[in-house]
Amino acid sequence: MARALSRFLVLFLFIAMAGARSAAAQAQTPSASGSADLSKISTEALDWLAGLIRINTSNPPGNELAAAKYLADILQREGIPSEIIESAPGRGILVARLNSGAMPDSSRALLLMGHIDVVGVQKDKWSVDPFGAVLKDGYLYGRGAIDDKGMTIANVAVLVALKRAQVRLTRDIILLAEGDEEAGGDFGIDFAVQKHWDKIAAGFALNEGGRVFVKDGRVQWVGIQASEKIPVNVIVTAKGTSGHASVPLKDNAIVHLSAAIEKIGNYVTPWQLNSVTRIYFEQISKIENEEISKWMRALETPDRGDHAARFLSDQNPVWSSTLRTTIAPTIFQGGFRENVVPSEAKATLNIRLLPGDMIDPLVAKLKTLVDDPQIQFEVETSARGAAPSSSLETDFYRMIEQAAIREFPGSIAVPLMSAGATDSAPLRLRSVQAYGLLPFPLAEGDLRRMHGDNERIPVASFQKGIDFLYQVVSSFAVSK
């Protein structure tokens, strides 16, 4: 009896020790799905975003290295190694990676990207310090809160969440925080692609450019950017006779330039649909009111298409930009003294070409329209070439759609063509399936503050956006 009891105790201790070793091993082994305290992380991320806003990275001059070092410190505290690469004095990019442990395969890797430079501000037009990260009435104010420091910090938060959850990844996840997006990309994405492609090479990418559109207090649709327009600047110059303002002449350069710009400003380019915008209008028609839906469906009818395009363009300037190449006069320069008639005046046209449109035929049309020998046109070299659209048939695109519908019940997911340019274009030229997904639920009023005064992001939307982005990334890159 004693020997039997002794054998039982030994067996019991053996099983208990084995169980303890198994539990310890499981605690150290990454789980398939893991679990992340996103509520806690999104609260921390709000502080990270405030700190990033306080670093003035107005471009020019950029000052992105200071922001990159700030992000590197956050990642280091989480045990995520990163690398800062200087592209010019005080400027550069940050790259970090979560390895899947599988055989290296850049075609499977997922790149999360955001830019850390911002456009400048007219400080006197703001109600708060644009670089003070002021928290007020449920909003975080500051330049870059939406464009694009919010997205950058959301990417960081997702990396941190995956690391803390010790998930088992099925593909590498790369973080790229890059600069110079607001001034062409020479010291940002172009530098990264041309000089350090081996560090960021990926088959898929998530960037800014999408929308989670809120109307009447609820998310109506989630826009997934798959294409974008091509920006080109054209300088319009008028030449005339300089002289004393007390003797006006008929060849006054300012008068001729003003007349030319008026004609150009009133010109509406022909409308057209492409593979992305066609599906966009088809999907949006399902949630608009009956009158608007009717004209969206009529876009491709031979007898009512032109009227439909005019109607929709009058309803919404975004729809107008979606349907056609646009021309916006943005800068007007002329004269240097109030009593001197200048010999020259200049204006800048910011043109956004539809994919497939060419600049030369458009400039030829404008010359004919203006019909003034005193007016000259000069095309500035486009900083971006025409890039193909990302596919709407990839597993990744479908997972983004599914995650959107799960996160925002009652909404629909639609493909977008951005009227503005993003840093996805150079990636698409490298055959990367890049999608834009600004994940924060935002109403039109807040979206219009991008590049404007009093830019802000609702705190609740920021935190919801992190949750949405995490669901997208984990559904695509975490072992089930």
Side-chain angles (χ1 to χ4, degrees):
M1 179 70 177
R3 283 197 299 271
L5 181 60
S6 177
R7 285 196 300 271
F8 174 78
L9 289 173
V10 170
L11 180 61
F12 175 80
L13 289 172
F14 176 79
I15 293 172
M17 291 174 64
R21 285 195 299 270
S22 176
Q26 290 177 4
Q28 295 172 6
T29 301
S31 63
S33 58
S35 60
D37 188 347
L38 289 177
S39 177
K40 180 176 185 298
I41 290 172
S42 63
T43 300
E44 295 175 69
L46 186 65
D47 289 335
W48 299 340
L49 176 56
L52 188 59
I53 288 172
R54 293 186 186 108
I55 301 172
N56 187 343
T57 54
S58 297
N59 188 7
N63 189 36
E64 295 98 340
L65 277 189
K69 291 175 182 176
Y70 172 81
L71 296 177
D73 288 342
I74 295 172
L75 295 170
Q76 184 179 27
R77 291 196 294 270
E78 299 293 333
I80 302 173
S82 63
E83 180 181 6
I84 296 174
I85 309 169
E86 190 170 5
S87 58
R91 314 199 69 177
I93 62 175
L94 174 141
V95 181
R97 181 185 294 261
L98 290 182
N99 288 301
S100 63
M103 290 289 290
D105 184 355
S106 61
S107 69
R108 288 181 51 79
L110 172 61
L111 178 67
L112 305 179
M113 59 187 292
H115 65 86
I116 48 180
D117 67 318
V118 298
V119 293
V121 300
Q122 291 180 291
K123 196 170 182 179
D124 60 319
K125 303 292 186 183
W126 284 60
S127 62
V128 297
D129 179 357
F131 300 103
V134 175
L135 200 57
K136 179 182 176 183
D137 300 328
Y139 292 88
L140 180 64
Y141 285 77
R143 175 58 88 217
I146 297 175
D147 185 16
D148 188 34
K149 292 182 175 181
M151 180 72 176
T152 301
I153 290 297
N155 288 335
V156 170
V158 167
L159 239 66
V160 169
L162 294 171
K163 181 69 164 57
R164 289 184 186 177
Q166 291 189 300
V167 296
R168 184 181 300 123
L169 296 174
T170 59
R171 63 189 76 232
D172 287 4
I173 299 179
I174 308 163
L175 170 70
L176 172 62
E178 36 97 16
D180 202 33
E181 192 273 347
E182 300 291 3
D186 288 348
F187 304 107
I189 189 63
D190 292 341
F191 169 76
V193 168
Q194 295 167 14
K195 303 293 185 181
H196 299 282
W197 180 245
D198 60 312
K199 300 181 187 299
I200 66 166
F204 306 90
L206 273 181
N207 189 21
E208 64 174 340
R211 293 287 183 269
V212 178
F213 186 76
V214 174
K215 186 177 181 180
D216 299 329
R218 71 175 187 86
V219 174
Q220 279 201 328
W221 51 268
V222 176
I224 308 165
Q225 191 237 48
S227 181
E228 60 190 70
K229 287 184 170 181
I230 305 152
V232 182
N233 289 325
V234 173
I235 308 302
V236 185
T237 304
K239 295 184 179 294
T241 303
S242 66
H244 201 288
S246 63
V247 185
L249 300 175
K250 290 185 177 181
D251 69 347
N252 185 301
I254 291 178
V255 173
H256 280 257
L257 182 62
S258 299
I261 295 302
E262 182 180 17
K263 291 178 181 178
I264 293 169
N266 290 328
Y267 174 61
V268 179
T269 60
W271 71 276
Q272 57 185 299
L273 294 173
N274 57 41
S275 60
V276 173
T277 60
R278 179 174 289 107
I279 298 174
Y280 166 79
F281 281 110
E282 287 175 0
Q283 297 285 57
I284 290 293
S285 70
K286 299 174 182 177
I287 60 172
E288 286 292 341
N289 64 52
E290 184 177 347
E291 181 70 6
I292 290 176
S293 295
K294 176 183 72 175
W295 291 113
M296 285 183 172
R297 293 191 299 270
L299 277 170
E300 295 196 84
T301 59
D303 56 333
R304 298 191 298 166
D306 288 343
H307 180 78
R310 285 193 297 272
F311 175 84
L312 294 172
S313 297
D314 290 341
Q315 291 292 311
N316 189 328
V318 173
W319 291 341
S320 180
S321 295
T322 301
L323 284 168
R324 57 178 51 85
T325 287
T326 58
I327 308 167
T330 55
I331 301 174
F332 197 105
Q333 298 170 311
F336 63 97
R337 286 182 63 91
E338 62 273 10
N339 62 349
V340 176
V341 175
S343 62
E344 183 177 279
K346 292 187 175 185
T348 299
L349 307 177
N350 185 254
I351 297 174
R352 302 295 171 124
L353 296 169
L354 285 173
D357 279 5
M358 306 297 290
I359 189 63
D360 290 343
L362 177 58
V363 171
K365 173 64 178 179
L366 296 181
K367 287 179 179 178
T368 302
L369 179 72
V370 169
D371 191 23
D372 186 342
Q374 285 184 230
I375 301 295
Q376 300 174 358
F377 291 82
E378 179 187 357
V379 178
E380 292 189 340
T381 302
S382 175
R384 296 282 161 83
S389 300
S390 295
S391 172
L392 306 184
E393 302 298 328
T394 65
D395 289 342
F396 189 33
Y397 183 84
R398 294 191 183 98
M399 285 183 177
I400 298 172
E401 283 185 313
Q402 293 164 8
I405 294 168
R406 285 197 308 270
E407 286 295 306
F408 306 106
S411 70
I412 63 172
V414 301
L416 284 185
M417 178 195 69
S418 288
T422 73
D423 281 342
S424 292
L427 297 177
R428 293 187 178 114
L429 288 169
R430 292 262 180 156
S431 300
V432 178
Q433 297 297 318
Y435 302 102
L437 187 69
L438 190 66
F440 317 114
L442 296 170
E444 185 66 31
D446 285 324
L447 287 168
R448 287 180 178 172
R449 292 173 184 248
M450 287 192 292
H451 285 212
D453 303 329
N454 294 313
E455 183 179 352
R456 67 186 188 180
I457 189 168
V459 171
S461 294
F462 175 69
Q463 294 173 330
K464 181 63 175 176
I466 290 175
D467 186 59
F468 177 32
L469 187 61
Y470 181 84
Q471 300 308 322
V472 170
V473 174
S474 61
S475 67
F476 186 59
V478 174
S479 177
K480 305 301 184 290

